[in-house]
Amino acid sequence: MNKTIAVIRGDGIGPEIVDQALRVLDRVASKYGHSFKYTDVDMGGCAIDKYGDPLPQGELDKCISSDSVLLGAVGGPKWNDVPGNMRPEKGLLRLRAGMGVYSNNRPAKIWKQLADASPLKREIVEKGIDFIIVRELIGGIYFGEHKTENGVATDVLKYSESEIERIGRIGFKTAQKRSKRLCSVEKSNVLDSSRLWKKVMHRLAEEYPDVILTDMLVDNCAMQIVKDPSQFDVIVTENMFGDILSDEASMITGSIGMIPSSSLGASGCGLYEPIHGSAPDIAGRDIANPIGTILSAAMMLRFSFDMSDEADAIEHAVSKFLDAGYRTADIMSDGMTLVGCRQCGDIILENI
Ligand code: NAD
């Protein structure tokens, strides 16, 4: 199969981790007889430096016209003082909206080899951590009006029934493919947008009678994720709650560096990225963990290109890396072998 992939290396550790994922993709291509053609796209701080804009239209167009997009991460202290609508992260919001990817899927799964890296007690980890957060990605407070006037700052949180319905359906369909339990997370005791969210979810539930729908307030959910994560299978929630809960969920699985994500919309062209940021504190030192990005590439093969054997091969190669006792600094523990970012890529691609 021939596929085109827009590649956004971005800032900080972005270039280092994306390079490892591309080497892994090249190995998959040669082993399985595919051809992946990469198009470089500038986004984030590097695009501000080059064009004075975090995502010029021409760069966005390259993404929209590709079969899929692989992203490292954007942002960093160098661009902290640029005006709000010119910040690196604005490029990311523009990319998600421009691609129409409204559903962000983040798995929270513990690798058995990393049980000791979880900050949770062993007996909680042993009950199992394996759930998915389906997060609405292009609505809510991140996309509402933002303004500061006369010392008063306002951010608007707005959701329409149709926006809730389309992400709700993804939640139900994801649950149908798993254990048929869906937990809808909101703050309906305080927010109108959450009361509408809850109403729409319950209306949808009538169309998916095989799925058991439960409701949970977001503050309780944050607590339950550390108290007993085994109770969750699929969580569906709005943009900001999903952002916060998925970072929390990633931490209980060991390291933010291990978690991939996919963002999908109506077309097959998806956006695949690790859930962490550009980690400026460790950038350029060859110590970042590239596994979240490598697993994001695996998700791309599975969800956008229908290449499940190839995706399995990457996931298996990561598992073999961990089985052999190799660890990057963020997941290092006693008795394991410390490797850098590039060496991690070397070993994983040898395992394919
Ligand atoms: P971060 O995720 O970049 O880093 C948080 C901590 O996790 C740091 O200690 C970092 O060293 C560590 N870490 C992250 N990824 C790692 C990896 N692959 N391997 C090893 N350790 C890793 O979050 P932050 O520090 O809050 O943000 C830094 C910058 O990234 C900010 O400018 C922020 O806006 C941006 N950001 C971008 C994205 C994105 O591009 N999708 C997401 C979140 C934050």
Side-chain angles (χ1 to χ4, degrees):
M1 245 188 253
N2 296 335
K3 294 288 178 190
T4 55
I5 302 172
V7 176
I8 307 173
R9 288 180 171 77
D11 309 311
I13 59 171
E16 306 165 46
I17 54 177
V18 167
D19 282 348
Q20 303 318 311
L22 295 184
R23 293 171 71 218
V24 168
L25 281 173
D26 285 340
R27 171 59 62 96
V28 166
S30 74
K31 180 160 179 193
Y32 290 85
H34 303 303
S35 160
F36 299 137
K37 187 166 168 281
Y38 308 118
T39 308
D40 287 326
V41 172
D42 293 315
M43 185 181 92
C46 58
I48 295 174
D49 291 349
K50 201 161 161 184
Y51 310 103
D53 183 335
L55 183 64
Q57 187 62 42
E59 299 301 286
L60 173 61
D61 290 343
K62 287 188 204 168
C63 296
I64 295 171
S65 60
S66 294
D67 291 320
S68 237
V69 180
L70 182 68
L71 163 67
V74 296
K78 181 177 173 195
W79 303 279
N80 274 356
D81 295 328
V82 298
N85 64 348
M86 286 294 290
R87 286 180 60 90
E89 295 77 6
K90 203 71 190 177
L92 188 55
L93 297 185
R94 223 184 271 164
L95 176 69
R96 290 168 176 167
M99 290 180 68
V101 286
Y102 59 84
S103 168
N104 179 231
N105 308 303
R106 296 181 168 195
K109 183 176 174 174
I110 194 144
W111 293 80
K112 64 179 188 325
Q113 302 93 331
L114 296 183
D116 288 336
S118 172
L120 298 186
K121 286 189 192 132
R122 190 150 194 119
E123 62 260 32
I124 296 178
V125 174
E126 277 169 358
K127 283 174 78 182
I129 302 175
D130 183 4
F131 60 98
I132 290 187
I133 297 183
V134 176
R135 165 188 168 196
E136 200 290 324
L137 200 60
I138 56 175
I141 200 162
Y142 294 176
F143 287 86
E145 189 194 358
H146 309 287
K147 65 174 183 197
T148 307
E149 270 172 10
N150 305 324
V152 178
T154 312
D155 301 283
V156 175
L157 165 50
K158 195 165 77 174
Y159 268 111
S160 66
E161 289 201 23
S162 59
E163 283 175 312
I164 300 170
E165 196 175 308
R166 67 183 181 181
I167 190 69
R169 287 189 189 285
I170 303 279
F172 279 101
K173 285 179 186 160
T174 308
Q176 276 180 325
K177 289 186 203 136
R178 293 176 51 105
S179 75
K180 301 188 171 55
R181 288 181 293 121
L182 178 64
C183 179
S184 164
V185 172
E186 28 69 6
K187 186 73 184 163
S188 56
N189 54 343
V190 179
L191 301 175
D192 264 37
S193 57
S194 280
R195 281 191 277 276
L196 184 65
W197 179 279
K198 190 171 174 181
K199 193 175 107 189
V200 172
M201 287 297 159
H202 281 267
R203 194 176 67 214
L204 281 179
E206 292 168 18
E207 293 177 37
Y208 301 89
D210 52 333
V211 175
I212 298 167
L213 174 70
T214 51
D215 307 297
M216 196 176 276
L217 295 175
V218 63
D219 38 354
N220 184 25
C221 183
M223 197 171 76
Q224 295 298 332
I225 283 177
V226 289
K227 189 169 168 234
D228 179 16
S230 71
Q231 69 186 284
F232 296 110
D233 187 49
V234 181
I235 289 174
V236 63
T237 192
E238 61 100 83
N239 201 345
M240 182 168 66
F241 298 160
D243 192 4
I244 298 166
L245 293 177
S246 57
D247 269 24
E248 183 192 10
S250 73
M251 207 50 235
I252 63 168
T253 66
S255 169
I256 198 168
M258 295 289 299
I259 315 277
S261 80
S262 67
S263 302
L264 295 160
S267 79
C269 178
L271 170 63
Y272 297 86
E273 55 178 314
I275 72 159
H276 58 74
S278 60
D281 53 333
I282 57 167
R285 291 164 53 197
D286 192 37
I287 58 171
N289 183 347
I291 295 179
T293 317
I294 290 170
L295 293 173
S296 299
M299 281 183 116
M300 172 189 291
L301 300 182
R302 192 183 301 286
F303 296 124
S304 284
F305 301 166
D306 227 356
M307 298 179 182
S308 42
D309 287 350
E310 292 83 338
D312 286 347
I314 296 179
E315 286 162 6
H316 183 65
V318 170
S319 193
K320 238 172 120 180
F321 167 90
L322 297 171
D323 279 340
Y326 294 114
R327 299 288 186 270
T328 46
D330 55 314
I331 51 173
M332 184 60 189
S333 59
D334 286 349
M336 300 293 138
T337 309
L338 181 66
V339 295
C341 181
R342 189 173 172 89
Q343 202 186 348
C344 175
D346 287 342
I347 297 165
I348 290 172
L349 71 89
E350 273 162 25
N351 287 345
I352 292 175

Short mmCIF file of all heavy atoms in Angstrom, two decimals, residues 38-83:
data_model
loop_
_atom_site.label_atom_id
_atom_site.label_comp_id
_atom_site.label_asym_id
_atom_site.label_seq_id
_atom_site.Cartn_x
_atom_site.Cartn_y
_atom_site.Cartn_z
N TYR A 38 6.72 10.74 3.33
CA TYR A 38 6.58 11.74 4.39
C TYR A 38 6.66 13.15 3.83
O TYR A 38 7.50 13.44 2.98
CB TYR A 38 7.68 11.56 5.44
CG TYR A 38 7.79 10.14 5.96
CD1 TYR A 38 8.96 9.39 5.78
CD2 TYR A 38 6.72 9.54 6.62
CE1 TYR A 38 9.05 8.08 6.25
CE2 TYR A 38 6.80 8.24 7.09
CZ TYR A 38 7.97 7.51 6.90
OH TYR A 38 8.06 6.22 7.36
N THR A 39 5.77 14.02 4.33
CA THR A 39 5.84 15.44 3.99
C THR A 39 6.08 16.22 5.28
O THR A 39 5.29 16.12 6.23
CB THR A 39 4.48 15.92 3.41
OG1 THR A 39 4.11 15.04 2.37
CG2 THR A 39 4.56 17.35 2.90
N ASP A 40 7.17 16.98 5.34
CA ASP A 40 7.46 17.76 6.55
C ASP A 40 6.54 18.97 6.66
O ASP A 40 6.33 19.68 5.68
CB ASP A 40 8.92 18.24 6.53
CG ASP A 40 9.87 17.09 6.79
OD1 ASP A 40 9.50 16.19 7.56
OD2 ASP A 40 10.97 17.09 6.20
N VAL A 41 6.02 19.16 7.87
CA VAL A 41 5.12 20.30 8.13
C VAL A 41 5.68 21.07 9.33
O VAL A 41 6.05 20.47 10.34
CB VAL A 41 3.69 19.80 8.46
CG1 VAL A 41 2.80 20.94 8.92
CG2 VAL A 41 3.08 19.10 7.25
N ASP A 42 5.76 22.39 9.20
CA ASP A 42 6.21 23.22 10.32
C ASP A 42 5.00 23.67 11.13
O ASP A 42 4.06 24.25 10.58
CB ASP A 42 6.93 24.48 9.80
CG ASP A 42 8.24 24.14 9.12
OD1 ASP A 42 9.00 23.33 9.67
OD2 ASP A 42 8.49 24.68 8.02
N MET A 43 5.03 23.41 12.42
CA MET A 43 3.96 23.88 13.30
C MET A 43 4.53 24.15 14.68
O MET A 43 5.49 23.49 15.10
CB MET A 43 2.85 22.83 13.40
CG MET A 43 1.64 23.32 14.21
SD MET A 43 0.36 22.06 14.33
CE MET A 43 0.84 21.27 15.86
N GLY A 44 3.97 25.13 15.38
CA GLY A 44 4.39 25.43 16.75
C GLY A 44 5.42 26.54 16.78
O GLY A 44 5.44 27.44 15.93
N GLY A 45 6.30 26.46 17.78
CA GLY A 45 7.31 27.51 17.96
C GLY A 45 8.21 27.63 16.73
O GLY A 45 8.55 28.75 16.30
N CYS A 46 8.60 26.50 16.15
CA CYS A 46 9.50 26.55 14.99
C CYS A 46 8.82 27.28 13.83
O CYS A 46 9.48 27.98 13.05
CB CYS A 46 9.95 25.15 14.59
SG CYS A 46 8.62 24.02 14.19
N ALA A 47 7.50 27.15 13.70
CA ALA A 47 6.79 27.86 12.63
C ALA A 47 6.67 29.36 12.94
O ALA A 47 6.72 30.20 12.04
CB ALA A 47 5.40 27.25 12.42
N ILE A 48 6.55 29.68 14.23
CA ILE A 48 6.53 31.11 14.62
C ILE A 48 7.86 31.74 14.24
O ILE A 48 7.91 32.84 13.66
CB ILE A 48 6.27 31.26 16.14
CG1 ILE A 48 4.87 30.74 16.48
CG2 ILE A 48 6.43 32.71 16.59
CD1 ILE A 48 4.56 30.69 17.96
N ASP A 49 8.96 31.03 14.53
CA ASP A 49 10.28 31.57 14.20
C ASP A 49 10.45 31.74 12.68
O ASP A 49 11.07 32.70 12.22
CB ASP A 49 11.38 30.62 14.71
CG ASP A 49 11.47 30.62 16.23
OD1 ASP A 49 10.84 31.50 16.85
OD2 ASP A 49 12.14 29.74 16.79
N LYS A 50 9.90 30.80 11.92
CA LYS A 50 10.12 30.80 10.46
C LYS A 50 9.15 31.72 9.72
O LYS A 50 9.53 32.44 8.81
CB LYS A 50 9.96 29.36 9.97
CG LYS A 50 10.61 29.04 8.67
CD LYS A 50 10.75 27.51 8.57
CE LYS A 50 10.97 27.05 7.16
NZ LYS A 50 11.01 25.59 7.07
N TYR A 51 7.86 31.66 10.12
CA TYR A 51 6.82 32.38 9.36
C TYR A 51 6.11 33.46 10.17
O TYR A 51 5.23 34.15 9.64
CB TYR A 51 5.73 31.43 8.88
CG TYR A 51 6.19 30.19 8.17
CD1 TYR A 51 6.19 28.96 8.83
CD2 TYR A 51 6.62 30.23 6.84
CE1 TYR A 51 6.60 27.80 8.18
CE2 TYR A 51 7.03 29.07 6.20
CZ TYR A 51 7.02 27.86 6.87
OH TYR A 51 7.43 26.73 6.23
N GLY A 52 6.38 33.51 11.49
CA GLY A 52 5.62 34.44 12.34
C GLY A 52 4.20 33.96 12.58
O GLY A 52 3.31 34.73 12.92
N ASP A 53 3.95 32.66 12.42
CA ASP A 53 2.61 32.10 12.54
C ASP A 53 2.75 30.63 12.97
O ASP A 53 3.54 29.90 12.35
CB ASP A 53 1.95 32.19 11.14
CG ASP A 53 0.50 31.72 11.13
OD1 ASP A 53 0.14 30.92 12.01
OD2 ASP A 53 -0.24 32.14 10.23
N PRO A 54 2.03 30.18 14.03
CA PRO A 54 2.23 28.80 14.50
C PRO A 54 1.74 27.72 13.53
O PRO A 54 2.17 26.58 13.61
CB PRO A 54 1.45 28.74 15.81
CG PRO A 54 0.46 29.85 15.74
CD PRO A 54 1.09 30.92 14.91
N LEU A 55 0.83 28.07 12.63
CA LEU A 55 0.42 27.09 11.60
C LEU A 55 -0.13 27.85 10.39
O LEU A 55 -1.34 28.05 10.25
CB LEU A 55 -0.66 26.12 12.13
CG LEU A 55 -1.07 25.03 11.13
CD1 LEU A 55 0.09 24.10 10.78
CD2 LEU A 55 -2.26 24.22 11.64
N PRO A 56 0.76 28.25 9.47
CA PRO A 56 0.27 28.93 8.27
C PRO A 56 -0.66 28.01 7.47
O PRO A 56 -0.51 26.78 7.53
CB PRO A 56 1.56 29.21 7.47
CG PRO A 56 2.68 29.05 8.43
CD PRO A 56 2.21 28.08 9.47
N GLN A 57 -1.59 28.62 6.74
CA GLN A 57 -2.58 27.84 6.00
C GLN A 57 -1.94 26.78 5.10
O GLN A 57 -2.42 25.64 5.01
CB GLN A 57 -3.46 28.80 5.16
CG GLN A 57 -4.65 28.12 4.47
CD GLN A 57 -5.65 27.51 5.46
OE1 GLN A 57 -5.97 28.12 6.48
NE2 GLN A 57 -6.15 26.31 5.15
N GLY A 58 -0.80 27.15 4.46
CA GLY A 58 -0.14 26.21 3.54
C GLY A 58 0.31 24.95 4.27
O GLY A 58 0.24 23.84 3.72
N GLU A 59 0.76 25.10 5.51
CA GLU A 59 1.20 23.94 6.29
C GLU A 59 -0.01 23.09 6.69
O GLU A 59 0.04 21.86 6.65
CB GLU A 59 1.99 24.39 7.54
CG GLU A 59 3.25 25.19 7.23
CD GLU A 59 4.25 24.42 6.37
OE1 GLU A 59 4.91 23.51 6.89
OE2 GLU A 59 4.37 24.74 5.17
N LEU A 60 -1.10 23.77 7.09
CA LEU A 60 -2.34 23.04 7.42
C LEU A 60 -2.84 22.25 6.21
O LEU A 60 -3.24 21.09 6.32
CB LEU A 60 -3.41 24.03 7.92
CG LEU A 60 -4.81 23.44 8.14
CD1 LEU A 60 -4.79 22.34 9.20
CD2 LEU A 60 -5.79 24.55 8.59
N ASP A 61 -2.78 22.88 5.02
CA ASP A 61 -3.25 22.21 3.80
C ASP A 61 -2.46 20.92 3.53
O ASP A 61 -3.02 19.93 3.07
CB ASP A 61 -3.14 23.15 2.59
CG ASP A 61 -4.16 24.28 2.67
OD1 ASP A 61 -5.12 24.15 3.46
OD2 ASP A 61 -3.98 25.31 1.97
N LYS A 62 -1.15 20.95 3.83
CA LYS A 62 -0.34 19.75 3.63
C LYS A 62 -0.89 18.60 4.48
O LYS A 62 -0.90 17.44 4.07
CB LYS A 62 1.11 19.99 4.05
CG LYS A 62 1.92 20.86 3.12
CD LYS A 62 3.39 20.80 3.62
CE LYS A 62 4.19 21.99 3.22
NZ LYS A 62 5.49 22.05 3.92
N CYS A 63 -1.34 18.94 5.70
CA CYS A 63 -1.89 17.91 6.60
C CYS A 63 -3.20 17.37 6.06
O CYS A 63 -3.42 16.15 6.00
CB CYS A 63 -2.11 18.48 8.00
SG CYS A 63 -0.59 18.99 8.80
N ILE A 64 -4.08 18.30 5.67
CA ILE A 64 -5.43 17.90 5.23
C ILE A 64 -5.34 17.03 3.98
O ILE A 64 -6.14 16.12 3.79
CB ILE A 64 -6.31 19.15 5.00
CG1 ILE A 64 -6.53 19.87 6.33
CG2 ILE A 64 -7.65 18.78 4.36
CD1 ILE A 64 -7.19 21.23 6.22
N SER A 65 -4.33 17.28 3.12
CA SER A 65 -4.26 16.51 1.87
C SER A 65 -3.46 15.21 2.03
O SER A 65 -3.28 14.48 1.06
CB SER A 65 -3.67 17.37 0.75
OG SER A 65 -2.38 17.77 1.12
N SER A 66 -2.98 14.91 3.23
CA SER A 66 -2.25 13.65 3.44
C SER A 66 -3.21 12.56 3.90
O SER A 66 -4.35 12.82 4.27
CB SER A 66 -1.19 13.84 4.53
OG SER A 66 -0.21 14.74 4.08
N ASP A 67 -2.72 11.31 3.89
CA ASP A 67 -3.57 10.21 4.36
C ASP A 67 -3.64 10.20 5.89
O ASP A 67 -4.57 9.66 6.47
CB ASP A 67 -3.00 8.87 3.87
CG ASP A 67 -3.15 8.73 2.35
OD1 ASP A 67 -4.20 9.15 1.83
OD2 ASP A 67 -2.21 8.24 1.71
N SER A 68 -2.63 10.78 6.54
CA SER A 68 -2.62 10.84 7.98
C SER A 68 -1.53 11.80 8.47
O SER A 68 -0.66 12.16 7.69
CB SER A 68 -2.31 9.46 8.55
OG SER A 68 -3.35 9.11 9.40
N VAL A 69 -1.61 12.15 9.76
CA VAL A 69 -0.64 13.11 10.30
C VAL A 69 0.00 12.53 11.56
O VAL A 69 -0.70 12.03 12.45
CB VAL A 69 -1.34 14.45 10.65
CG1 VAL A 69 -0.33 15.45 11.20
CG2 VAL A 69 -2.07 15.02 9.44
N LEU A 70 1.33 12.60 11.63
CA LEU A 70 2.06 12.19 12.84
C LEU A 70 2.69 13.43 13.45
O LEU A 70 3.40 14.16 12.77
CB LEU A 70 3.15 11.17 12.48
CG LEU A 70 3.94 10.62 13.67
CD1 LEU A 70 3.07 9.75 14.56
CD2 LEU A 70 5.15 9.79 13.19
N LEU A 71 2.42 13.63 14.74
CA LEU A 71 2.89 14.84 15.43
C LEU A 71 3.72 14.48 16.65
O LEU A 71 3.37 13.56 17.39
CB LEU A 71 1.66 15.66 15.85
CG LEU A 71 1.84 16.75 16.91
CD1 LEU A 71 2.69 17.90 16.40
CD2 LEU A 71 0.48 17.30 17.34
N GLY A 72 4.82 15.23 16.87
CA GLY A 72 5.60 15.07 18.09
C GLY A 72 4.96 15.91 19.19
O GLY A 72 4.02 15.48 19.85
N ALA A 73 5.42 17.14 19.36
CA ALA A 73 4.81 18.05 20.35
C ALA A 73 5.27 19.46 20.03
O ALA A 73 6.30 19.65 19.37
CB ALA A 73 5.23 17.66 21.75
N VAL A 74 4.50 20.43 20.51
CA VAL A 74 4.88 21.83 20.26
C VAL A 74 4.92 22.62 21.57
O VAL A 74 4.35 22.22 22.57
CB VAL A 74 3.89 22.53 19.28
CG1 VAL A 74 3.93 21.87 17.92
CG2 VAL A 74 2.48 22.55 19.84
N GLY A 75 5.61 23.77 21.51
CA GLY A 75 5.62 24.69 22.65
C GLY A 75 6.96 24.71 23.36
O GLY A 75 7.84 23.88 23.11
N GLY A 76 7.09 25.67 24.26
CA GLY A 76 8.32 25.79 25.04
C GLY A 76 8.45 27.20 25.57
O GLY A 76 7.77 28.12 25.11
N PRO A 77 9.35 27.37 26.56
CA PRO A 77 9.46 28.68 27.24
C PRO A 77 9.83 29.82 26.30
O PRO A 77 9.47 30.96 26.55
CB PRO A 77 10.55 28.45 28.28
CG PRO A 77 11.18 27.14 27.98
CD PRO A 77 10.24 26.35 27.13
N LYS A 78 10.54 29.51 25.21
CA LYS A 78 10.97 30.55 24.28
C LYS A 78 9.77 31.35 23.75
O LYS A 78 9.90 32.53 23.42
CB LYS A 78 11.70 29.87 23.11
CG LYS A 78 12.23 30.84 22.08
CD LYS A 78 13.01 30.12 20.99
CE LYS A 78 13.37 31.10 19.88
NZ LYS A 78 13.81 30.44 18.66
N TRP A 79 8.60 30.71 23.67
CA TRP A 79 7.44 31.39 23.07
C TRP A 79 6.37 31.73 24.11
O TRP A 79 5.24 32.00 23.77
CB TRP A 79 6.84 30.51 21.96
CG TRP A 79 7.85 30.17 20.92
CD1 TRP A 79 8.25 30.96 19.88
CD2 TRP A 79 8.62 28.96 20.83
NE1 TRP A 79 9.23 30.32 19.16
CE2 TRP A 79 9.48 29.09 19.71
CE3 TRP A 79 8.67 27.78 21.58
CZ2 TRP A 79 10.36 28.10 19.33
CZ3 TRP A 79 9.56 26.78 21.21
CH2 TRP A 79 10.39 26.95 20.09
N ASN A 80 6.77 31.71 25.42
CA ASN A 80 5.78 31.97 26.48
C ASN A 80 5.19 33.37 26.40
O ASN A 80 4.04 33.58 26.77
CB ASN A 80 6.43 31.79 27.86
CG ASN A 80 6.38 30.34 28.30
OD1 ASN A 80 5.79 29.52 27.60
ND2 ASN A 80 6.99 30.02 29.42
N ASP A 81 5.98 34.33 25.91
CA ASP A 81 5.52 35.71 25.97
C ASP A 81 4.88 36.20 24.68
O ASP A 81 4.52 37.37 24.58
CB ASP A 81 6.69 36.64 26.36
CG ASP A 81 7.16 36.32 27.77
OD1 ASP A 81 6.31 35.90 28.58
OD2 ASP A 81 8.37 36.45 28.03
N VAL A 82 4.72 35.31 23.70
CA VAL A 82 4.06 35.78 22.47
C VAL A 82 2.56 35.90 22.75
O VAL A 82 2.02 35.22 23.62
CB VAL A 82 4.31 34.85 21.24
CG1 VAL A 82 5.78 34.78 20.91
CG2 VAL A 82 3.75 33.47 21.45
N PRO A 83 1.85 36.78 22.02
CA PRO A 83 0.42 36.97 22.29
C PRO A 83 -0.37 35.66 22.12
O PRO A 83 0.02 34.79 21.33
CB PRO A 83 -0.01 37.98 21.23
CG PRO A 83 1.25 38.54 20.65
CD PRO A 83 2.36 37.61 20.95
#
